[in-house]
Amino acid sequence: MSDTASSTRSPARPEPDGASSPKKNGPPSASGAWQRAMDFDIGIVPLPVLVILTALVTALTLTGNLSGELAVVIGIMTVFAFTLAEIGKRLPVVRSIGGAALFVTILPSYLAYAGVIPAAAVDSIGGFFTDTKVLSLFIAFVIVGSILSMDRTLLIRGFVKIFAPLAAGSIAALVVGTAVGTATGLGLKHTVFFIVIPIMAGGMGEGAIPLTIGYAGIVGASQGELLAQVLPAVFVGNLTAVLLAGLLAHLGRRRPELTGNGRLDAAPGADLLDHPGTATGSPQVTAAQVAAAGITAVTLYLAGVLAYDLLGFPAPVVMLLLAVLLKLAHGITPRLQHGARFVCDFCLAAMAFPMLFTFSATQTPWQTLVEGFAPGPLVTVVATVCALVVTGFAVSRLVGLHPVEGALVVSTHSGMGGAGDIAILTAAGRMRLMPFAQIATRIGGGITVTLALIAAHTVGL
């Protein structure tokens, strides 16, 4: 089952005391039709509410009253994100390969470029997205919530075992990508340093940008010009990984023995979630538990931010390591574990698609994405990511990981940082793999950038 919300018919709600049921043989009442409509959700939004919200956003646009106010931003993101996800979820063929995530990852960039999404709306959500760093907070909630609610043994095994398929996949991607790029006439150095390496560098902020700053220091060129050269490969590599994630999820449905349905370790008896102190049924989670878990996540996130400011360590990695240490040291009580699971589930249901939509509409230039579809670079990028994922799949089986989940984690090594991880894992319906994906993206990307700059300094560009 997908971690993100889907279009559903909610369970029938009990009639209030004294309410009479509609006659079986008579025409349906207006109130009954309204209730049925309110129980039909587009993503997480009741259909009538979505229609009204769409009308309100349209009215605000026509009257020039769109602003950066939080309620307005939420309204814009909700209307576009869940509508696009619903379309992708219902189209034949596409829906079986992560169509919802694909549509929300790709189409907003084009819709913003074509003016279908008004410029005022793009400015509104773009300012909010950049100023508040809401994507980082979302990732913090998902990482901390996943780790604190995960089985401790599974957590240790997953972190230890994932490095083998990640390393093997990276080497295979480098070899295959370089061979294909050279064969298509792109040149050995250009293929390695401007296509293959940027794909596995860990996204933009911690990947392509520091990478091209290092390149600029080596060749004496403008960092902006060098960044423009690597961006198409970064964007198309991420898109290819999203497509492959959808195919992996489809493979898991066809071949259940290849997947753990979100569980990474294939050891018998390994459970994805920790169940402290529970008997039968789900534990009752209180608002206080949810609030406590949320503040715990914020605290760990701020510790990561401080570590980055003082020591230069990537904030998500520090946050992840602190959460793991708390879990391993039994520093989290059962009530916080239950609250953390609720926080994680809420974020996946309510925020994943809006985050993907906003990133695509405001941070993914359509023209740059199109540049990556030139035949030579496109074939090279696809070959690189396919080699990464296929090798990760094969090696995962050898080290005792579920192949689908292992390949998905390895595929995030070619994602665009945190947003790329969200898109890839959402396409496969396995967002609870986010802690492992962050290892592939942040640590794998950091190692890739470091080794690439050493090699560039040695052999030149």
PDB file of all heavy atoms in Angstrom, residues 371-408:
ATOM      1  N   GLU A 371      16.545  20.708 -22.026  1.00  0.00           N
ATOM      2  CA  GLU A 371      17.901  20.598 -22.547  1.00  0.00           C
ATOM      3  C   GLU A 371      18.508  19.222 -22.285  1.00  0.00           C
ATOM      4  O   GLU A 371      19.359  18.744 -23.039  1.00  0.00           O
ATOM      5  CB  GLU A 371      18.789  21.676 -21.931  1.00  0.00           C
ATOM      6  CG  GLU A 371      18.468  23.092 -22.417  1.00  0.00           C
ATOM      7  CD  GLU A 371      19.294  24.137 -21.675  1.00  0.00           C
ATOM      8  OE1 GLU A 371      20.189  23.728 -20.905  1.00  0.00           O
ATOM      9  OE2 GLU A 371      19.033  25.332 -21.863  1.00  0.00           O
ATOM     10  N   GLY A 372      18.058  18.591 -21.194  1.00  0.00           N
ATOM     11  CA  GLY A 372      18.588  17.272 -20.857  1.00  0.00           C
ATOM     12  C   GLY A 372      18.089  16.163 -21.754  1.00  0.00           C
ATOM     13  O   GLY A 372      18.554  15.027 -21.644  1.00  0.00           O
ATOM     14  N   PHE A 373      17.142  16.479 -22.660  1.00  0.00           N
ATOM     15  CA  PHE A 373      16.593  15.457 -23.540  1.00  0.00           C
ATOM     16  C   PHE A 373      17.273  15.426 -24.903  1.00  0.00           C
ATOM     17  O   PHE A 373      16.776  14.780 -25.824  1.00  0.00           O
ATOM     18  CB  PHE A 373      15.087  15.668 -23.704  1.00  0.00           C
ATOM     19  CG  PHE A 373      14.304  15.249 -22.489  1.00  0.00           C
ATOM     20  CD1 PHE A 373      13.992  16.166 -21.499  1.00  0.00           C
ATOM     21  CD2 PHE A 373      13.907  13.934 -22.332  1.00  0.00           C
ATOM     22  CE1 PHE A 373      13.277  15.789 -20.381  1.00  0.00           C
ATOM     23  CE2 PHE A 373      13.190  13.541 -21.209  1.00  0.00           C
ATOM     24  CZ  PHE A 373      12.870  14.463 -20.220  1.00  0.00           C
ATOM     25  N   ALA A 374      18.395  16.113 -25.061  1.00  0.00           N
ATOM     26  CA  ALA A 374      19.203  15.954 -26.275  1.00  0.00           C
ATOM     27  C   ALA A 374      19.663  14.503 -26.341  1.00  0.00           C
ATOM     28  O   ALA A 374      19.985  13.896 -25.310  1.00  0.00           O
ATOM     29  CB  ALA A 374      20.391  16.898 -26.241  1.00  0.00           C
ATOM     30  N   PRO A 375      19.691  13.892 -27.523  1.00  0.00           N
ATOM     31  CA  PRO A 375      19.901  12.435 -27.637  1.00  0.00           C
ATOM     32  C   PRO A 375      21.114  11.895 -26.885  1.00  0.00           C
ATOM     33  O   PRO A 375      20.995  10.947 -26.103  1.00  0.00           O
ATOM     34  CB  PRO A 375      20.042  12.231 -29.145  1.00  0.00           C
ATOM     35  CG  PRO A 375      19.259  13.350 -29.747  1.00  0.00           C
ATOM     36  CD  PRO A 375      19.457  14.524 -28.836  1.00  0.00           C
ATOM     37  N   GLY A 376      22.289  12.495 -27.107  1.00  0.00           N
ATOM     38  CA  GLY A 376      23.499  11.976 -26.468  1.00  0.00           C
ATOM     39  C   GLY A 376      23.431  12.015 -24.951  1.00  0.00           C
ATOM     40  O   GLY A 376      23.591  10.980 -24.281  1.00  0.00           O
ATOM     41  N   PRO A 377      23.206  13.187 -24.369  1.00  0.00           N
ATOM     42  CA  PRO A 377      23.100  13.252 -22.908  1.00  0.00           C
ATOM     43  C   PRO A 377      21.974  12.401 -22.340  1.00  0.00           C
ATOM     44  O   PRO A 377      22.115  11.788 -21.280  1.00  0.00           O
ATOM     45  CB  PRO A 377      22.850  14.743 -22.647  1.00  0.00           C
ATOM     46  CG  PRO A 377      23.441  15.434 -23.826  1.00  0.00           C
ATOM     47  CD  PRO A 377      23.196  14.520 -24.987  1.00  0.00           C
ATOM     48  N   LEU A 378      20.834  12.341 -23.049  1.00  0.00           N
ATOM     49  CA  LEU A 378      19.695  11.572 -22.545  1.00  0.00           C
ATOM     50  C   LEU A 378      20.034  10.089 -22.432  1.00  0.00           C
ATOM     51  O   LEU A 378      19.784   9.456 -21.389  1.00  0.00           O
ATOM     52  CB  LEU A 378      18.486  11.765 -23.472  1.00  0.00           C
ATOM     53  CG  LEU A 378      17.240  10.937 -23.125  1.00  0.00           C
ATOM     54  CD1 LEU A 378      16.730  11.313 -21.747  1.00  0.00           C
ATOM     55  CD2 LEU A 378      16.157  11.131 -24.174  1.00  0.00           C
ATOM     56  N   VAL A 379      20.625   9.535 -23.480  1.00  0.00           N
ATOM     57  CA  VAL A 379      20.995   8.122 -23.456  1.00  0.00           C
ATOM     58  C   VAL A 379      22.013   7.854 -22.354  1.00  0.00           C
ATOM     59  O   VAL A 379      21.944   6.839 -21.639  1.00  0.00           O
ATOM     60  CB  VAL A 379      21.558   7.689 -24.833  1.00  0.00           C
ATOM     61  CG1 VAL A 379      22.133   6.284 -24.771  1.00  0.00           C
ATOM     62  CG2 VAL A 379      20.468   7.761 -25.897  1.00  0.00           C
ATOM     63  N   THR A 380      22.945   8.768 -22.187  1.00  0.00           N
ATOM     64  CA  THR A 380      23.979   8.601 -21.162  1.00  0.00           C
ATOM     65  C   THR A 380      23.379   8.630 -19.764  1.00  0.00           C
ATOM     66  O   THR A 380      23.724   7.807 -18.904  1.00  0.00           O
ATOM     67  CB  THR A 380      25.038   9.706 -21.302  1.00  0.00           C
ATOM     68  OG1 THR A 380      25.580   9.680 -22.625  1.00  0.00           O
ATOM     69  CG2 THR A 380      26.160   9.505 -20.295  1.00  0.00           C
ATOM     70  N   VAL A 381      22.489   9.576 -19.523  1.00  0.00           N
ATOM     71  CA  VAL A 381      21.856   9.691 -18.204  1.00  0.00           C
ATOM     72  C   VAL A 381      21.036   8.446 -17.895  1.00  0.00           C
ATOM     73  O   VAL A 381      21.132   7.873 -16.799  1.00  0.00           O
ATOM     74  CB  VAL A 381      20.968  10.952 -18.146  1.00  0.00           C
ATOM     75  CG1 VAL A 381      20.122  10.933 -16.871  1.00  0.00           C
ATOM     76  CG2 VAL A 381      21.817  12.210 -18.182  1.00  0.00           C
ATOM     77  N   VAL A 382      20.228   8.020 -18.841  1.00  0.00           N
ATOM     78  CA  VAL A 382      19.388   6.835 -18.625  1.00  0.00           C
ATOM     79  C   VAL A 382      20.248   5.606 -18.363  1.00  0.00           C
ATOM     80  O   VAL A 382      19.963   4.805 -17.456  1.00  0.00           O
ATOM     81  CB  VAL A 382      18.456   6.606 -19.834  1.00  0.00           C
ATOM     82  CG1 VAL A 382      17.720   5.277 -19.704  1.00  0.00           C
ATOM     83  CG2 VAL A 382      17.444   7.750 -19.952  1.00  0.00           C
ATOM     84  N   ALA A 383      21.322   5.429 -19.133  1.00  0.00           N
ATOM     85  CA  ALA A 383      22.207   4.282 -18.935  1.00  0.00           C
ATOM     86  C   ALA A 383      22.861   4.329 -17.554  1.00  0.00           C
ATOM     87  O   ALA A 383      22.996   3.296 -16.877  1.00  0.00           O
ATOM     88  CB  ALA A 383      23.277   4.256 -20.027  1.00  0.00           C
ATOM     89  N   THR A 384      23.258   5.519 -17.130  1.00  0.00           N
ATOM     90  CA  THR A 384      23.906   5.678 -15.824  1.00  0.00           C
ATOM     91  C   THR A 384      22.971   5.279 -14.693  1.00  0.00           C
ATOM     92  O   THR A 384      23.332   4.486 -13.803  1.00  0.00           O
ATOM     93  CB  THR A 384      24.360   7.133 -15.631  1.00  0.00           C
ATOM     94  OG1 THR A 384      25.278   7.496 -16.663  1.00  0.00           O
ATOM     95  CG2 THR A 384      25.017   7.325 -14.275  1.00  0.00           C
ATOM     96  N   VAL A 385      21.756   5.804 -14.708  1.00  0.00           N
ATOM     97  CA  VAL A 385      20.813   5.527 -13.627  1.00  0.00           C
ATOM     98  C   VAL A 385      20.355   4.072 -13.662  1.00  0.00           C
ATOM     99  O   VAL A 385      20.206   3.428 -12.608  1.00  0.00           O
ATOM    100  CB  VAL A 385      19.608   6.491 -13.697  1.00  0.00           C
ATOM    101  CG1 VAL A 385      18.618   6.195 -12.569  1.00  0.00           C
ATOM    102  CG2 VAL A 385      20.071   7.938 -13.618  1.00  0.00           C
ATOM    103  N   CYS A 386      20.151   3.527 -14.850  1.00  0.00           N
ATOM    104  CA  CYS A 386      19.761   2.120 -14.956  1.00  0.00           C
ATOM    105  C   CYS A 386      20.848   1.199 -14.408  1.00  0.00           C
ATOM    106  O   CYS A 386      20.552   0.221 -13.699  1.00  0.00           O
ATOM    107  CB  CYS A 386      19.459   1.758 -16.411  1.00  0.00           C
ATOM    108  SG  CYS A 386      17.893   2.407 -17.030  1.00  0.00           S
ATOM    109  N   ALA A 387      22.103   1.508 -14.714  1.00  0.00           N
ATOM    110  CA  ALA A 387      23.203   0.701 -14.181  1.00  0.00           C
ATOM    111  C   ALA A 387      23.245   0.784 -12.659  1.00  0.00           C
ATOM    112  O   ALA A 387      23.469  -0.224 -11.966  1.00  0.00           O
ATOM    113  CB  ALA A 387      24.531   1.170 -14.775  1.00  0.00           C
ATOM    114  N   LEU A 388      23.021   1.959 -12.131  1.00  0.00           N
ATOM    115  CA  LEU A 388      22.994   2.164 -10.678  1.00  0.00           C
ATOM    116  C   LEU A 388      21.916   1.297 -10.037  1.00  0.00           C
ATOM    117  O   LEU A 388      22.162   0.591  -9.049  1.00  0.00           O
ATOM    118  CB  LEU A 388      22.746   3.646 -10.394  1.00  0.00           C
ATOM    119  CG  LEU A 388      22.634   4.090  -8.930  1.00  0.00           C
ATOM    120  CD1 LEU A 388      23.989   4.020  -8.247  1.00  0.00           C
ATOM    121  CD2 LEU A 388      22.081   5.506  -8.854  1.00  0.00           C
ATOM    122  N   VAL A 389      20.716   1.347 -10.592  1.00  0.00           N
ATOM    123  CA  VAL A 389      19.568   0.665  -9.991  1.00  0.00           C
ATOM    124  C   VAL A 389      19.652  -0.852 -10.183  1.00  0.00           C
ATOM    125  O   VAL A 389      19.405  -1.617  -9.244  1.00  0.00           O
ATOM    126  CB  VAL A 389      18.262   1.221 -10.583  1.00  0.00           C
ATOM    127  CG1 VAL A 389      17.057   0.424 -10.081  1.00  0.00           C
ATOM    128  CG2 VAL A 389      18.095   2.691 -10.221  1.00  0.00           C
ATOM    129  N   VAL A 390      19.996  -1.297 -11.381  1.00  0.00           N
ATOM    130  CA  VAL A 390      20.071  -2.740 -11.649  1.00  0.00           C
ATOM    131  C   VAL A 390      21.138  -3.397 -10.777  1.00  0.00           C
ATOM    132  O   VAL A 390      20.928  -4.473 -10.199  1.00  0.00           O
ATOM    133  CB  VAL A 390      20.346  -2.997 -13.140  1.00  0.00           C
ATOM    134  CG1 VAL A 390      20.664  -4.469 -13.378  1.00  0.00           C
ATOM    135  CG2 VAL A 390      19.141  -2.582 -13.979  1.00  0.00           C
ATOM    136  N   THR A 391      22.284  -2.736 -10.650  1.00  0.00           N
ATOM    137  CA  THR A 391      23.340  -3.284  -9.799  1.00  0.00           C
ATOM    138  C   THR A 391      22.909  -3.295  -8.341  1.00  0.00           C
ATOM    139  O   THR A 391      23.152  -4.268  -7.611  1.00  0.00           O
ATOM    140  CB  THR A 391      24.633  -2.474  -9.961  1.00  0.00           C
ATOM    141  OG1 THR A 391      24.998  -2.421 -11.337  1.00  0.00           O
ATOM    142  CG2 THR A 391      25.769  -3.095  -9.157  1.00  0.00           C
ATOM    143  N   GLY A 392      22.262  -2.225  -7.911  1.00  0.00           N
ATOM    144  CA  GLY A 392      21.752  -2.189  -6.547  1.00  0.00           C
ATOM    145  C   GLY A 392      20.756  -3.304  -6.280  1.00  0.00           C
ATOM    146  O   GLY A 392      20.748  -3.906  -5.189  1.00  0.00           O
ATOM    147  N   PHE A 393      19.914  -3.585  -7.255  1.00  0.00           N
ATOM    148  CA  PHE A 393      18.942  -4.672  -7.131  1.00  0.00           C
ATOM    149  C   PHE A 393      19.650  -6.012  -6.949  1.00  0.00           C
ATOM    150  O   PHE A 393      19.315  -6.799  -6.050  1.00  0.00           O
ATOM    151  CB  PHE A 393      18.067  -4.688  -8.391  1.00  0.00           C
ATOM    152  CG  PHE A 393      16.943  -5.681  -8.371  1.00  0.00           C
ATOM    153  CD1 PHE A 393      15.670  -5.305  -7.974  1.00  0.00           C
ATOM    154  CD2 PHE A 393      17.152  -7.001  -8.761  1.00  0.00           C
ATOM    155  CE1 PHE A 393      14.628  -6.220  -7.967  1.00  0.00           C
ATOM    156  CE2 PHE A 393      16.118  -7.924  -8.755  1.00  0.00           C
ATOM    157  CZ  PHE A 393      14.848  -7.536  -8.353  1.00  0.00           C
ATOM    158  N   ALA A 394      20.640  -6.285  -7.802  1.00  0.00           N
ATOM    159  CA  ALA A 394      21.330  -7.566  -7.764  1.00  0.00           C
ATOM    160  C   ALA A 394      22.122  -7.754  -6.472  1.00  0.00           C
ATOM    161  O   ALA A 394      22.064  -8.812  -5.831  1.00  0.00           O
ATOM    162  CB  ALA A 394      22.257  -7.694  -8.977  1.00  0.00           C
ATOM    163  N   VAL A 395      22.865  -6.723  -6.067  1.00  0.00           N
ATOM    164  CA  VAL A 395      23.705  -6.842  -4.867  1.00  0.00           C
ATOM    165  C   VAL A 395      22.851  -6.898  -3.607  1.00  0.00           C
ATOM    166  O   VAL A 395      23.218  -7.552  -2.623  1.00  0.00           O
ATOM    167  CB  VAL A 395      24.723  -5.681  -4.814  1.00  0.00           C
ATOM    168  CG1 VAL A 395      25.550  -5.743  -3.545  1.00  0.00           C
ATOM    169  CG2 VAL A 395      25.627  -5.716  -6.043  1.00  0.00           C
ATOM    170  N   SER A 396      21.702  -6.243  -3.612  1.00  0.00           N
ATOM    171  CA  SER A 396      20.814  -6.294  -2.446  1.00  0.00           C
ATOM    172  C   SER A 396      20.405  -7.732  -2.139  1.00  0.00           C
ATOM    173  O   SER A 396      20.329  -8.135  -0.965  1.00  0.00           O
ATOM    174  CB  SER A 396      19.559  -5.434  -2.696  1.00  0.00           C
ATOM    175  OG  SER A 396      19.883  -4.070  -2.751  1.00  0.00           O
ATOM    176  N   ARG A 397      20.146  -8.518  -3.171  1.00  0.00           N
ATOM    177  CA  ARG A 397      19.785  -9.929  -2.955  1.00  0.00           C
ATOM    178  C   ARG A 397      20.943 -10.679  -2.305  1.00  0.00           C
ATOM    179  O   ARG A 397      20.734 -11.558  -1.454  1.00  0.00           O
ATOM    180  CB  ARG A 397      19.414 -10.598  -4.275  1.00  0.00           C
ATOM    181  CG  ARG A 397      18.262  -9.956  -5.004  1.00  0.00           C
ATOM    182  CD  ARG A 397      17.767 -10.799  -6.161  1.00  0.00           C
ATOM    183  NE  ARG A 397      17.036 -11.975  -5.703  1.00  0.00           N
ATOM    184  CZ  ARG A 397      16.375 -12.792  -6.499  1.00  0.00           C
ATOM    185  NH1 ARG A 397      16.357 -12.576  -7.801  1.00  0.00           N
ATOM    186  NH2 ARG A 397      15.734 -13.835  -6.020  1.00  0.00           N
ATOM    187  N   LEU A 398      22.166 -10.332  -2.698  1.00  0.00           N
ATOM    188  CA  LEU A 398      23.331 -11.047  -2.177  1.00  0.00           C
ATOM    189  C   LEU A 398      23.588 -10.741  -0.708  1.00  0.00           C
ATOM    190  O   LEU A 398      24.106 -11.600   0.013  1.00  0.00           O
ATOM    191  CB  LEU A 398      24.572 -10.685  -3.003  1.00  0.00           C
ATOM    192  CG  LEU A 398      24.539 -11.078  -4.488  1.00  0.00           C
ATOM    193  CD1 LEU A 398      25.802 -10.595  -5.191  1.00  0.00           C
ATOM    194  CD2 LEU A 398      24.374 -12.589  -4.648  1.00  0.00           C
ATOM    195  N   VAL A 399      23.247  -9.534  -0.254  1.00  0.00           N
ATOM    196  CA  VAL A 399      23.552  -9.145   1.128  1.00  0.00           C
ATOM    197  C   VAL A 399      22.349  -9.290   2.051  1.00  0.00           C
ATOM    198  O   VAL A 399      22.398  -8.874   3.216  1.00  0.00           O
ATOM    199  CB  VAL A 399      24.089  -7.702   1.184  1.00  0.00           C
ATOM    200  CG1 VAL A 399      25.381  -7.583   0.409  1.00  0.00           C
ATOM    201  CG2 VAL A 399      23.050  -6.697   0.692  1.00  0.00           C
ATOM    202  N   GLY A 400      21.249  -9.871   1.554  1.00  0.00           N
ATOM    203  CA  GLY A 400      20.112 -10.129   2.430  1.00  0.00           C
ATOM    204  C   GLY A 400      19.138  -8.990   2.564  1.00  0.00           C
ATOM    205  O   GLY A 400      18.447  -8.877   3.589  1.00  0.00           O
ATOM    206  N   LEU A 401      19.059  -8.125   1.561  1.00  0.00           N
ATOM    207  CA  LEU A 401      18.050  -7.068   1.541  1.00  0.00           C
ATOM    208  C   LEU A 401      16.980  -7.427   0.513  1.00  0.00           C
ATOM    209  O   LEU A 401      17.254  -8.143  -0.448  1.00  0.00           O
ATOM    210  CB  LEU A 401      18.675  -5.721   1.167  1.00  0.00           C
ATOM    211  CG  LEU A 401      19.744  -5.161   2.092  1.00  0.00           C
ATOM    212  CD1 LEU A 401      20.304  -3.862   1.522  1.00  0.00           C
ATOM    213  CD2 LEU A 401      19.193  -4.925   3.498  1.00  0.00           C
ATOM    214  N   HIS A 402      15.775  -6.941   0.724  1.00  0.00           N
ATOM    215  CA  HIS A 402      14.752  -7.122  -0.298  1.00  0.00           C
ATOM    216  C   HIS A 402      15.191  -6.353  -1.539  1.00  0.00           C
ATOM    217  O   HIS A 402      15.474  -5.152  -1.470  1.00  0.00           O
ATOM    218  CB  HIS A 402      13.405  -6.611   0.194  1.00  0.00           C
ATOM    219  CG  HIS A 402      12.772  -7.490   1.224  1.00  0.00           C
ATOM    220  ND1 HIS A 402      12.269  -8.744   0.933  1.00  0.00           N
ATOM    221  CD2 HIS A 402      12.560  -7.305   2.554  1.00  0.00           C
ATOM    222  CE1 HIS A 402      11.776  -9.288   2.029  1.00  0.00           C
ATOM    223  NE2 HIS A 402      11.932  -8.439   3.028  1.00  0.00           N
ATOM    224  N   PRO A 403      15.257  -7.017  -2.701  1.00  0.00           N
ATOM    225  CA  PRO A 403      15.821  -6.371  -3.897  1.00  0.00           C
ATOM    226  C   PRO A 403      15.104  -5.091  -4.316  1.00  0.00           C
ATOM    227  O   PRO A 403      15.754  -4.119  -4.694  1.00  0.00           O
ATOM    228  CB  PRO A 403      15.689  -7.453  -4.971  1.00  0.00           C
ATOM    229  CG  PRO A 403      15.628  -8.729  -4.236  1.00  0.00           C
ATOM    230  CD  PRO A 403      14.930  -8.435  -2.948  1.00  0.00           C
ATOM    231  N   VAL A 404      13.774  -5.075  -4.255  1.00  0.00           N
ATOM    232  CA  VAL A 404      13.040  -3.870  -4.665  1.00  0.00           C
ATOM    233  C   VAL A 404      13.386  -2.702  -3.751  1.00  0.00           C
ATOM    234  O   VAL A 404      13.706  -1.600  -4.216  1.00  0.00           O
ATOM    235  CB  VAL A 404      11.525  -4.142  -4.663  1.00  0.00           C
ATOM    236  CG1 VAL A 404      10.748  -2.828  -4.791  1.00  0.00           C
ATOM    237  CG2 VAL A 404      11.153  -5.085  -5.798  1.00  0.00           C
ATOM    238  N   GLU A 405      13.354  -2.942  -2.446  1.00  0.00           N
ATOM    239  CA  GLU A 405      13.660  -1.861  -1.507  1.00  0.00           C
ATOM    240  C   GLU A 405      15.123  -1.441  -1.587  1.00  0.00           C
ATOM    241  O   GLU A 405      15.442  -0.244  -1.517  1.00  0.00           O
ATOM    242  CB  GLU A 405      13.308  -2.291  -0.077  1.00  0.00           C
ATOM    243  CG  GLU A 405      11.845  -2.162   0.287  1.00  0.00           C
ATOM    244  CD  GLU A 405      10.954  -3.160  -0.446  1.00  0.00           C
ATOM    245  OE1 GLU A 405      11.471  -4.212  -0.887  1.00  0.00           O
ATOM    246  OE2 GLU A 405       9.743  -2.902  -0.569  1.00  0.00           O
ATOM    247  N   GLY A 406      16.023  -2.409  -1.726  1.00  0.00           N
ATOM    248  CA  GLY A 406      17.435  -2.067  -1.850  1.00  0.00           C
ATOM    249  C   GLY A 406      17.707  -1.234  -3.089  1.00  0.00           C
ATOM    250  O   GLY A 406      18.436  -0.238  -3.036  1.00  0.00           O
ATOM    251  N   ALA A 407      17.096  -1.623  -4.217  1.00  0.00           N
ATOM    252  CA  ALA A 407      17.277  -0.856  -5.451  1.00  0.00           C
ATOM    253  C   ALA A 407      16.681   0.538  -5.331  1.00  0.00           C
ATOM    254  O   ALA A 407      17.228   1.506  -5.875  1.00  0.00           O
ATOM    255  CB  ALA A 407      16.639  -1.609  -6.620  1.00  0.00           C
ATOM    256  N   LEU A 408      15.571   0.663  -4.633  1.00  0.00           N
ATOM    257  CA  LEU A 408      14.959   1.985  -4.449  1.00  0.00           C
ATOM    258  C   LEU A 408      15.880   2.912  -3.654  1.00  0.00           C
ATOM    259  O   LEU A 408      16.050   4.082  -4.001  1.00  0.00           O
ATOM    260  CB  LEU A 408      13.615   1.851  -3.727  1.00  0.00           C
ATOM    261  CG  LEU A 408      12.441   1.402  -4.589  1.00  0.00           C
ATOM    262  CD1 LEU A 408      11.249   1.052  -3.712  1.00  0.00           C
ATOM    263  CD2 LEU A 408      12.078   2.492  -5.584  1.00  0.00           C
TER     264      LEU A 408
END
